[in-house]
Amino acid sequence: MWYNERLGAQEWFYALPAGADERDTEGFPVVTLPHGLFAVAPCLDADLDGAADWMRTREELIAWAQASGRFRLYENGEGRPERYPMFHIVSPGRLIPEGVSIEDLYLPIEERE
C-alpha cells in the first residue's frame, strides 16, 4: 500500500504470482510498480493514533535523507516513475485486536549524483 500524494489517496496493491493470468484479476488493473531504493523505519499503525507516529517517523526519515551525503529524497517529476511512501503492517494479526499494530514505513530515496 502507498499514499499517492498526487491523488491524495491510499492505493492498495496485491502481488501476483509469476505467470499469473491478467484475466484472473476480476477486472482489477495489473500495475507494474516502479522499483528503487527506500529508507525504512517502523511506526505505529496510522489507524491507531490518527497517523501522528507515521508523520513523525516520515519527518525523521526525511531529515535523515536531507542530512545524508549519499542519498536524497526521490522526487516525482515529468518523465520519472511515480514513487510514494509505502507501508506494510508487520505485527502478527493476533496482536492487532489488542492495539499492537506496527507498520514499516518505506520512503523513496535515490543516490545523490
Side-chain angles (χ1 to χ4, degrees), residues 7-101:
L7 298 177
Q10 292 180 5
E11 294 180 305
W12 286 79
F13 300 97
Y14 293 93
L16 296 174
D21 189 329
E22 190 169 337
R23 294 173 293 185
D24 293 335
T25 65
E26 298 183 17
F28 288 99
V30 174
V31 176
T32 301
L33 294 175
H35 61 279
L37 296 170
F38 291 86
V40 183
C43 60
L44 288 176
D45 179 341
D47 291 339
L48 295 179
D49 66 351
D53 191 49
W54 192 93
M55 293 299 290
R56 275 191 304 273
T57 303
R58 181 177 175 272
E59 291 304 317
E60 289 174 6
L61 289 173
I62 289 170
W64 172 83
Q66 290 172 334
S68 173
R70 182 163 187 186
F71 301 104
R72 64 177 176 211
L73 294 174
Y74 181 86
E75 292 185 27
N76 291 315
E78 192 169 327
R80 301 190 83 191
E82 288 184 285
R83 295 178 61 211
Y84 297 106
M86 297 190 304
F87 40 100
H88 177 71
I89 303 296
V90 295
S91 295
R94 64 183 169 73
L95 296 178
I96 293 173
E98 299 173 34
V100 179
S101 188

XYZ file of all heavy atoms in Angstrom, residues 7-101:
744
model
N -2.869 11.996 -5.992
C -4.306 11.771 -5.881
C -4.857 12.086 -4.496
O -6.065 12.218 -4.320
C -4.642 10.317 -6.221
C -4.310 9.838 -7.633
C -4.624 8.359 -7.782
C -5.077 10.666 -8.663
N -3.966 12.173 -3.499
C -4.410 12.375 -2.120
C -5.175 11.172 -1.595
O -6.160 11.326 -0.878
N -4.714 9.962 -1.955
C -5.446 8.753 -1.581
C -4.494 7.579 -1.358
O -3.427 7.514 -1.964
C -6.430 8.386 -2.681
N -4.928 6.658 -0.487
C -4.185 5.413 -0.313
C -4.533 4.488 -1.462
O -5.682 4.432 -1.897
C -4.556 4.744 0.998
C -4.112 5.500 2.212
C -4.510 4.801 3.492
O -5.037 3.697 3.495
N -4.264 5.459 4.607
N -3.533 3.761 -1.950
C -3.755 2.771 -3.001
C -3.207 1.435 -2.522
O -2.090 1.361 -2.032
C -3.050 3.188 -4.299
C -3.627 4.437 -4.919
C -2.918 4.827 -6.204
O -1.680 4.988 -6.181
O -3.612 4.944 -7.220
N -4.017 0.391 -2.674
C -3.633 -0.959 -2.312
C -3.175 -1.700 -3.557
O -3.788 -1.567 -4.607
C -4.829 -1.716 -1.737
C -5.220 -1.311 -0.366
C -5.935 -0.210 -0.015
C -4.936 -2.010 0.842
N -6.118 -0.188 1.334
C -5.517 -1.284 1.891
C -4.248 -3.187 1.128
C -5.431 -1.688 3.210
C -4.170 -3.590 2.440
C -4.758 -2.836 3.460
N -2.145 -2.510 -3.397
C -1.659 -3.363 -4.477
C -1.478 -4.764 -3.916
O -1.103 -4.923 -2.762
C -0.314 -2.866 -5.029
C -0.371 -1.475 -5.593
C 0.016 -0.389 -4.838
C -0.817 -1.258 -6.887
C -0.041 0.891 -5.359
C -0.873 0.017 -7.420
C -0.491 1.096 -6.649
N -1.743 -5.748 -4.716
C -1.526 -7.138 -4.330
C -0.510 -7.745 -5.288
O -0.606 -7.558 -6.493
C -2.836 -7.943 -4.397
C -3.830 -7.490 -3.364
C -4.790 -6.533 -3.672
C -3.793 -7.996 -2.070
C -5.691 -6.099 -2.716
C -4.697 -7.564 -1.114
C -5.641 -6.621 -1.450
O -6.525 -6.196 -0.498
N 0.436 -8.474 -4.735
C 1.447 -9.122 -5.566
C 0.826 -10.330 -6.253
O 0.130 -11.129 -5.623
C 2.632 -9.557 -4.705
N 1.079 -10.437 -7.518
C 0.601 -11.586 -8.288
C 1.737 -12.588 -8.453
O 2.895 -12.203 -8.604
C 0.129 -11.144 -9.680
C -1.067 -10.205 -9.710
C -1.337 -9.741 -11.145
C -2.288 -10.888 -9.136
N 1.423 -13.854 -8.447
C 2.483 -14.850 -8.665
C 2.991 -14.781 -10.098
O 2.277 -14.346 -11.008
C 1.778 -16.176 -8.381
C 0.323 -15.902 -8.545
C 0.115 -14.459 -8.233
N 4.217 -15.217 -10.291
C 4.800 -15.251 -11.636
C 3.893 -16.051 -12.555
O 3.358 -17.095 -12.174
C 6.197 -15.870 -11.581
N 3.682 -15.530 -13.735
C 2.876 -16.224 -14.722
C 1.380 -16.085 -14.523
O 0.598 -16.760 -15.184
N 0.947 -15.204 -13.619
C -0.487 -15.020 -13.378
C -1.174 -14.523 -14.644
O -0.602 -13.760 -15.415
C -0.706 -14.037 -12.243
N -2.376 -14.954 -14.835
C -3.168 -14.558 -15.998
C -3.968 -13.312 -15.629
O -4.754 -13.317 -14.673
C -4.108 -15.695 -16.401
C -4.803 -15.448 -17.722
O -5.065 -14.273 -18.058
O -5.093 -16.434 -18.416
N -3.781 -12.246 -16.382
C -4.455 -10.983 -16.082
C -5.977 -11.137 -16.085
O -6.684 -10.404 -15.401
C -4.022 -9.919 -17.092
C -4.469 -8.531 -16.717
C -3.831 -7.459 -17.571
O -2.752 -7.695 -18.149
O -4.425 -6.376 -17.656
N -6.486 -12.126 -16.784
C -7.935 -12.364 -16.809
C -8.460 -12.849 -15.461
O -9.658 -12.795 -15.203
C -8.288 -13.372 -17.901
C -8.017 -12.827 -19.317
C -8.219 -13.889 -20.331
N -7.161 -14.908 -20.137
C -6.967 -15.945 -20.914
N -7.768 -16.173 -21.928
N -5.987 -16.798 -20.694
N -7.559 -13.292 -14.583
C -7.962 -13.794 -13.274
C -7.992 -12.712 -12.192
O -8.149 -13.023 -11.014
C -7.029 -14.923 -12.824
C -7.163 -16.162 -13.700
O -8.240 -16.341 -14.314
O -6.195 -16.935 -13.784
N -7.835 -11.453 -12.574
C -7.792 -10.380 -11.574
C -9.152 -9.734 -11.350
O -9.245 -8.696 -10.703
C -6.766 -9.298 -11.971
O -7.208 -8.666 -13.176
C -5.377 -9.868 -12.109
N -10.203 -10.348 -11.886
C -11.574 -9.883 -11.699
C -11.762 -8.417 -12.091
O -12.479 -7.672 -11.435
C -12.029 -10.127 -10.264
C -12.040 -11.597 -9.901
C -12.556 -11.870 -8.508
O -13.202 -10.985 -7.913
O -12.294 -12.982 -8.016
N -11.078 -8.009 -13.148
C -11.248 -6.656 -13.652
C -10.327 -5.619 -13.050
O -10.308 -4.476 -13.499
N -9.570 -5.985 -12.016
C -8.631 -5.034 -11.443
C -7.450 -4.872 -12.396
O -6.971 -5.850 -12.977
C -8.118 -5.502 -10.076
C -9.153 -5.396 -8.993
C -9.877 -6.511 -8.595
C -9.411 -4.182 -8.377
C -10.837 -6.427 -7.604
C -10.359 -4.082 -7.387
C -11.083 -5.207 -6.996
N -6.957 -3.649 -12.559
C -5.827 -3.449 -13.465
C -4.543 -4.057 -12.891
O -4.355 -4.099 -11.677
C -5.698 -1.932 -13.567
C -6.332 -1.405 -12.328
C -7.414 -2.396 -11.959
N -3.689 -4.522 -13.764
C -2.372 -5.017 -13.365
C -1.404 -3.846 -13.514
O -1.332 -3.210 -14.561
C -1.939 -6.220 -14.229
C -0.507 -6.626 -13.892
C -2.900 -7.384 -14.021
N -0.680 -3.554 -12.446
C 0.216 -2.409 -12.403
C 1.631 -2.902 -12.118
O 1.822 -3.708 -11.206
C -0.213 -1.421 -11.289
C 0.761 -0.268 -11.163
C -1.628 -0.926 -11.518
N 2.575 -2.427 -12.865
C 3.976 -2.716 -12.570
C 4.508 -1.528 -11.775
O 4.606 -0.411 -12.297
C 4.788 -2.906 -13.863
O 4.216 -3.995 -14.601
C 6.240 -3.198 -13.543
N 4.793 -1.760 -10.501
C 5.270 -0.673 -9.655
C 6.727 -0.362 -9.965
O 7.523 -1.272 -10.241
C 5.128 -1.044 -8.182
C 3.701 -1.198 -7.676
C 3.702 -1.689 -6.236
C 2.940 0.107 -7.782
N 7.087 0.919 -9.899
C 8.488 1.280 -10.121
C 9.353 0.769 -8.973
O 8.898 0.681 -7.834
C 8.459 2.807 -10.159
C 7.238 3.184 -9.408
C 6.254 2.073 -9.601
N 10.578 0.407 -9.282
C 11.485 -0.089 -8.258
C 12.422 1.044 -7.838
O 12.437 2.111 -8.434
C 12.280 -1.285 -8.778
C 13.131 -0.941 -9.959
N 12.621 -0.871 -11.234
C 14.434 -0.601 -10.052
C 13.600 -0.522 -12.060
N 14.698 -0.358 -11.370
N 13.196 0.794 -6.826
C 14.171 1.781 -6.377
C 14.510 1.581 -4.917
O 14.075 0.627 -4.272
N 15.273 2.512 -4.390
C 15.714 2.464 -3.001
C 14.672 3.093 -2.079
O 13.979 4.032 -2.469
C 17.025 3.230 -2.838
C 18.237 2.679 -3.583
C 19.390 3.670 -3.519
C 18.647 1.348 -2.984
N 14.623 2.584 -0.850
C 13.728 3.130 0.164
C 14.461 3.194 1.498
O 15.210 2.286 1.838
C 12.484 2.246 0.346
C 11.550 2.266 -0.820
C 11.733 1.404 -1.894
C 10.490 3.145 -0.858
C 10.873 1.405 -2.975
C 9.618 3.166 -1.942
C 9.809 2.295 -2.999
N 14.226 4.264 2.251
C 14.624 4.320 3.656
C 13.438 3.743 4.426
O 12.288 4.078 4.123
C 14.915 5.747 4.078
N 13.694 2.893 5.424
C 12.616 2.176 6.105
C 12.741 2.350 7.616
O 13.841 2.280 8.167
C 12.664 0.669 5.765
C 11.498 -0.058 6.414
C 12.694 0.446 4.272
N 11.580 2.563 8.281
C 11.550 2.640 9.743
C 10.184 2.157 10.230
O 9.179 2.347 9.548
C 11.793 4.072 10.209
N 10.147 1.546 11.418
C 8.858 1.106 11.966
C 8.141 2.261 12.661
O 8.769 3.196 13.163
C 9.266 0.032 12.982
C 10.621 0.451 13.438
C 11.274 1.102 12.242
N 6.818 2.167 12.675
C 5.998 3.155 13.386
C 4.682 2.489 13.764
O 4.399 1.372 13.342
C 5.768 4.398 12.527
S 4.914 4.096 10.972
N 3.874 3.196 14.542
C 2.554 2.682 14.877
C 1.671 2.699 13.648
O 1.778 3.593 12.799
C 1.894 3.548 15.950
C 2.451 3.463 17.357
C 1.729 4.462 18.252
C 2.315 2.054 17.909
N 0.776 1.743 13.570
C -0.236 1.723 12.530
C -0.972 3.063 12.579
O -1.434 3.492 13.632
C -1.186 0.555 12.809
C -2.317 0.419 11.820
O -2.638 1.389 11.106
O -2.903 -0.677 11.781
N -1.067 3.735 11.447
C -1.680 5.064 11.394
C -3.115 5.069 11.889
O -3.612 6.086 12.372
C -1.603 5.608 9.967
N -3.811 3.930 11.821
C -5.189 3.860 12.307
C -5.274 3.959 13.828
O -6.334 4.279 14.368
C -5.858 2.558 11.855
C -6.107 2.529 10.356
O -6.153 3.614 9.731
O -6.266 1.423 9.808
N -4.183 3.707 14.535
C -4.215 3.714 15.995
C -4.143 5.108 16.585
O -4.684 5.364 17.657
C -3.065 2.868 16.572
C -3.112 1.372 16.290
C -1.913 0.692 16.909
C -4.404 0.765 16.807
N -3.448 6.028 15.912
C -3.233 7.356 16.503
C -3.462 8.494 15.507
O -2.891 9.569 15.649
C -1.828 7.455 17.101
C -0.729 7.385 16.053
O -1.027 7.100 14.876
O 0.436 7.634 16.416
N -4.280 8.237 14.505
C -4.555 9.281 13.516
C -3.331 9.665 12.699
O -3.215 10.796 12.245
N -2.406 8.742 12.549
C -1.177 8.898 11.752
C -0.133 9.810 12.406
O 0.829 10.200 11.756
C -1.493 9.379 10.338
N -0.274 10.125 13.690
C 0.693 11.003 14.357
C 2.104 10.395 14.341
O 3.071 11.077 13.989
C 0.249 11.298 15.788
N 2.240 9.120 14.734
C 3.570 8.500 14.748
C 4.081 8.309 13.324
O 5.271 8.464 13.055
C 3.542 7.167 15.505
C 4.936 6.637 15.779
O 5.778 7.416 16.283
O 5.199 5.465 15.472
N 3.184 7.981 12.393
C 3.562 7.832 10.983
C 4.180 9.127 10.473
O 5.219 9.115 9.830
C 2.326 7.452 10.166
C 2.587 7.003 8.764
C 2.761 5.721 8.350
C 2.683 7.806 7.581
N 2.956 5.681 6.982
C 2.915 6.954 6.493
C 2.605 9.174 7.342
C 3.068 7.410 5.187
C 2.754 9.635 6.038
C 2.976 8.752 4.981
N 3.544 10.263 10.782
C 4.053 11.564 10.330
C 5.401 11.891 10.986
O 6.312 12.391 10.325
C 3.034 12.672 10.611
C 1.768 12.547 9.780
S 2.059 12.646 7.997
C 2.500 14.350 7.830
N 5.532 11.605 12.292
C 6.821 11.837 12.973
C 7.913 10.982 12.348
O 9.029 11.459 12.099
C 6.711 11.522 14.465
C 6.193 12.645 15.317
C 6.366 12.367 16.808
N 5.740 11.122 17.246
C 4.473 11.020 17.615
N 3.691 12.064 17.615
N 3.983 9.853 17.998
N 7.603 9.717 12.104
C 8.587 8.809 11.512
C 8.958 9.278 10.114
O 10.133 9.279 9.738
C 8.040 7.370 11.492
O 7.705 6.992 12.828
C 9.048 6.393 10.927
N 7.985 9.701 9.329
C 8.235 10.224 7.982
C 9.162 11.439 8.053
O 10.119 11.538 7.289
C 6.905 10.598 7.321
C 7.049 11.124 5.918
C 5.664 11.412 5.317
N 5.764 12.022 4.031
C 5.857 13.332 3.809
N 5.851 14.172 4.824
N 5.940 13.800 2.582
N 8.907 12.348 8.988
C 9.767 13.537 9.133
C 11.187 13.148 9.530
O 12.150 13.755 9.063
C 9.168 14.518 10.148
C 7.890 15.180 9.665
C 8.048 15.921 8.336
O 9.053 16.615 8.148
O 7.156 15.779 7.475
N 11.333 12.120 10.383
C 12.669 11.648 10.763
C 13.403 11.067 9.548
O 14.606 11.301 9.368
C 12.577 10.611 11.878
C 12.174 11.200 13.210
C 11.945 10.147 14.276
O 12.200 8.949 14.026
O 11.491 10.523 15.376
N 12.700 10.302 8.723
C 13.328 9.750 7.520
C 13.703 10.858 6.535
O 14.770 10.808 5.917
C 12.398 8.732 6.848
C 12.213 7.408 7.580
C 11.139 6.574 6.893
C 13.521 6.641 7.672
N 12.845 11.860 6.401
C 13.159 12.997 5.519
C 14.399 13.714 6.023
O 15.307 14.028 5.243
C 11.954 13.952 5.408
C 10.842 13.303 4.586
C 12.368 15.295 4.814
C 9.523 14.067 4.608
N 14.464 13.974 7.336
C 15.633 14.653 7.913
C 16.898 13.828 7.689
O 17.957 14.379 7.364
C 15.406 14.907 9.409
N 16.791 12.501 7.849
C 17.943 11.634 7.607
C 18.415 11.762 6.163
O 19.610 11.909 5.899
C 17.597 10.177 7.934
C 18.678 9.237 7.522
C 19.808 8.924 8.221
C 18.765 8.534 6.268
N 20.583 8.055 7.487
C 19.967 7.803 6.283
C 17.953 8.453 5.153
C 20.372 7.006 5.228
C 18.344 7.648 4.098
C 19.538 6.943 4.140
N 17.481 11.696 5.221
C 17.850 11.780 3.804
C 18.467 13.138 3.471
O 19.441 13.215 2.725
C 16.625 11.523 2.924
N 17.923 14.199 4.029
C 18.451 15.534 3.755
C 19.854 15.709 4.322
O 20.662 16.443 3.758
C 17.505 16.606 4.299
C 16.216 16.686 3.508
C 15.182 17.602 4.131
O 15.171 17.829 5.342
N 14.286 18.113 3.301
N 20.150 15.034 5.435
C 21.477 15.135 6.048
C 22.475 14.160 5.433
O 23.684 14.289 5.652
C 21.365 14.882 7.554
N 21.992 13.214 4.662
C 22.865 12.189 4.091
C 23.736 12.773 2.981
O 23.273 13.533 2.140
C 22.011 11.048 3.514
O 22.826 10.134 2.809
N 24.969 12.386 2.988
C 25.856 12.769 1.896
C 25.729 11.841 0.697
O 26.230 12.141 -0.386
N 25.062 10.718 0.863
C 24.967 9.737 -0.215
C 23.574 9.634 -0.836
O 23.433 9.342 -2.014
C 25.372 8.362 0.309
C 25.333 7.315 -0.764
C 26.089 6.101 -0.416
N 26.135 5.215 -1.571
C 26.624 4.014 -1.556
N 27.141 3.540 -0.456
N 26.619 3.282 -2.639
N 22.525 9.842 -0.032
C 21.161 9.681 -0.520
C 20.389 10.985 -0.422
O 20.746 11.880 0.330
C 20.435 8.590 0.284
C 21.110 7.257 0.215
C 21.854 6.782 1.277
C 21.023 6.476 -0.927
C 22.496 5.556 1.216
C 21.655 5.243 -1.005
C 22.390 4.784 0.071
N 19.291 11.056 -1.165
C 18.366 12.186 -1.095
C 16.964 11.638 -1.334
O 16.795 10.511 -1.811
C 18.708 13.248 -2.127
C 18.552 12.770 -3.555
C 18.839 13.870 -4.546
N 18.758 13.326 -5.896
C 19.453 13.754 -6.897
N 20.294 14.744 -6.738
N 19.315 13.215 -8.089
N 15.968 12.443 -1.029
C 14.588 12.046 -1.283
C 14.363 11.903 -2.778
O 14.890 12.687 -3.571
C 13.608 13.089 -0.746
C 13.563 13.262 0.758
C 12.651 14.418 1.112
C 13.096 11.976 1.420
N 13.594 10.926 -3.149
C 13.191 10.767 -4.543
C 12.127 11.815 -4.825
O 11.206 12.009 -4.036
C 12.633 9.367 -4.783
C 12.211 9.131 -6.213
C 13.130 8.713 -7.157
C 10.900 9.332 -6.614
C 12.756 8.492 -8.471
C 10.517 9.113 -7.925
C 11.448 8.698 -8.853
O 11.079 8.487 -10.154
N 12.252 12.500 -5.951
C 11.258 13.499 -6.330
C 10.551 13.061 -7.601
O 11.197 12.786 -8.615
C 11.919 14.858 -6.544
C 12.452 15.472 -5.268
C 12.994 16.872 -5.465
O 12.529 17.575 -6.389
O 13.883 17.250 -4.704
N 9.229 12.991 -7.525
C 8.433 12.707 -8.715
C 8.537 13.903 -9.650
O 8.636 15.040 -9.211
C 6.971 12.458 -8.337
C 6.796 11.167 -7.579
O 7.343 10.142 -7.961
N 6.038 11.209 -6.494
N 8.524 13.641 -10.928
C 8.587 14.718 -11.902
C 8.287 14.194 -13.287
O 8.191 12.972 -13.510
N 8.161 15.106 -14.215
C 7.845 14.730 -15.585
C 8.895 13.760 -16.129
O 10.095 13.971 -15.985
C 7.784 15.975 -16.470
C 7.188 15.687 -17.829
C 6.886 16.950 -18.612
O 6.540 17.962 -17.999
O 7.000 16.885 -19.846
N 8.414 12.675 -16.702
C 9.298 11.669 -17.274
C 9.885 10.705 -16.264
O 10.678 9.838 -16.627
N 9.516 10.835 -14.994
C 10.020 9.944 -13.941
C 8.870 9.094 -13.420
O 7.746 9.579 -13.304
C 10.599 10.746 -12.776
C 11.742 11.665 -13.202
C 12.421 12.249 -12.000
N 13.375 11.227 -11.551
C 14.019 11.282 -10.404
N 13.813 12.265 -9.558
N 14.871 10.340 -10.081
N 9.136 7.832 -13.070
C 8.074 6.993 -12.492
C 7.584 7.592 -11.168
O 8.381 8.118 -10.391
C 8.740 5.650 -12.240
C 10.041 5.691 -12.953
C 10.397 7.123 -13.178
N 6.289 7.515 -10.925
C 5.754 7.982 -9.651
C 6.100 6.975 -8.561
O 5.852 5.785 -8.709
C 4.241 8.147 -9.723
C 3.803 9.330 -10.537
C 2.304 9.513 -10.512
O 1.623 8.729 -11.200
O 1.838 10.422 -9.803
N 6.693 7.476 -7.486
C 7.006 6.658 -6.313
C 6.534 7.435 -5.093
O 6.735 8.646 -5.001
C 8.517 6.398 -6.223
C 9.024 5.553 -7.389
C 10.520 5.330 -7.318
N 10.878 4.615 -6.098
C 12.033 4.791 -5.464
N 12.933 5.633 -5.914
N 12.296 4.116 -4.363
N 5.918 6.739 -4.156
C 5.362 7.375 -2.973
C 5.718 6.576 -1.732
O 6.128 5.423 -1.828
C 3.832 7.456 -3.094
C 3.383 8.311 -4.247
C 2.870 7.732 -5.399
C 3.491 9.688 -4.188
C 2.468 8.515 -6.468
C 3.095 10.483 -5.250
C 2.576 9.893 -6.382
O 2.187 10.672 -7.439
N 5.561 7.195 -0.541
C 5.769 6.421 0.678
C 4.846 5.201 0.695
O 3.672 5.293 0.352
C 5.391 7.407 1.795
C 5.603 8.755 1.196
C 5.226 8.594 -0.254
N 5.410 4.077 1.077
C 4.639 2.836 1.178
C 4.645 2.386 2.634
O 5.516 2.781 3.410
C 5.256 1.739 0.311
C 5.250 2.047 -1.162
S 5.717 0.630 -2.204
C 7.308 0.178 -1.570
N 3.694 1.537 2.982
C 3.669 0.997 4.330
C 3.087 -0.397 4.316
O 2.324 -0.758 3.428
C 2.908 1.904 5.298
C 1.662 2.527 4.727
C 0.426 1.993 4.997
C 1.745 3.658 3.929
C -0.719 2.566 4.484
C 0.601 4.245 3.415
C -0.639 3.701 3.687
N 3.501 -1.163 5.319
C 3.108 -2.569 5.403
C 2.977 -2.932 6.880
O 3.903 -2.711 7.655
C 4.189 -3.427 4.725
C 3.937 -4.887 4.809
N 2.943 -5.512 4.107
C 4.564 -5.842 5.529
C 2.969 -6.807 4.392
N 3.938 -7.031 5.247
N 1.817 -3.460 7.274
C 1.620 -3.908 8.659
C 2.478 -5.150 8.885
O 2.408 -6.104 8.117
C 0.140 -4.229 8.943
C -0.752 -3.025 8.655
C -0.043 -4.749 10.376
C -0.515 -1.827 9.529
N 3.288 -5.118 9.937
C 4.201 -6.234 10.199
C 3.879 -6.963 11.500
O 4.462 -8.000 11.779
C 5.678 -5.775 10.191
C 6.073 -5.299 8.806
C 5.934 -4.694 11.234
N 2.965 -6.421 12.326
C 2.585 -7.094 13.577
C 1.844 -8.391 13.268
O 1.072 -8.443 12.309
C 1.650 -6.214 14.408
O 2.296 -5.055 14.828
N 2.032 -9.396 14.100
C 1.219 -10.595 13.936
C -0.258 -10.233 14.092
O -0.618 -9.445 14.968
C 1.680 -11.513 15.070
C 3.006 -10.983 15.495
C 2.987 -9.515 15.198
N -1.098 -10.785 13.234
C -2.522 -10.481 13.267
C -3.173 -10.699 14.613
O -4.099 -9.985 14.990
N -2.664 -11.652 15.384
C -3.267 -11.948 16.686
C -3.097 -10.798 17.679
O -3.837 -10.698 18.649
C -2.688 -13.231 17.264
C -1.211 -13.155 17.562
C -0.650 -14.492 18.067
N 0.786 -14.481 18.103
C 1.518 -13.806 18.991
N 0.938 -13.108 19.933
N 2.836 -13.848 18.938
N -2.127 -9.894 17.460
C -1.891 -8.779 18.381
C -2.700 -7.529 18.024
O -2.888 -6.649 18.870
C -0.405 -8.420 18.411
C 0.538 -9.492 18.950
C 1.976 -9.017 18.871
C 0.174 -9.870 20.366
N -3.165 -7.439 16.806
C -3.853 -6.229 16.358
C -5.093 -5.923 17.199
O -5.294 -4.769 17.601
C -4.147 -6.301 14.848
C -2.812 -6.253 14.080
C -5.066 -5.163 14.408
C -2.924 -6.481 12.588
N -5.961 -6.920 17.558
C -7.124 -6.607 18.401
C -6.746 -6.034 19.771
O -7.540 -5.358 20.407
C -7.848 -7.951 18.553
C -7.406 -8.753 17.378
C -5.994 -8.315 17.100
N -5.510 -6.297 20.209
C -5.038 -5.772 21.494
C -4.414 -4.387 21.343
O -3.874 -3.845 22.302
C -4.020 -6.733 22.101
C -4.586 -8.107 22.388
C -3.512 -9.086 22.827
O -2.549 -8.669 23.501
O -3.636 -10.272 22.481
N -4.448 -3.813 20.145
C -3.899 -2.483 19.922
C -2.416 -2.466 19.630
O -1.782 -1.415 19.662
N -1.830 -3.626 19.358
C -0.422 -3.706 18.998
C -0.362 -3.880 17.486
O -0.570 -4.974 16.968
C 0.300 -4.875 19.711
C 1.751 -4.938 19.277
C 0.181 -4.730 21.209
N -0.141 -2.784 16.811
C -0.111 -2.830 15.356
C 1.013 -1.926 14.865
O 0.924 -0.701 14.932
C -1.457 -2.382 14.778
O -1.482 -2.600 13.385
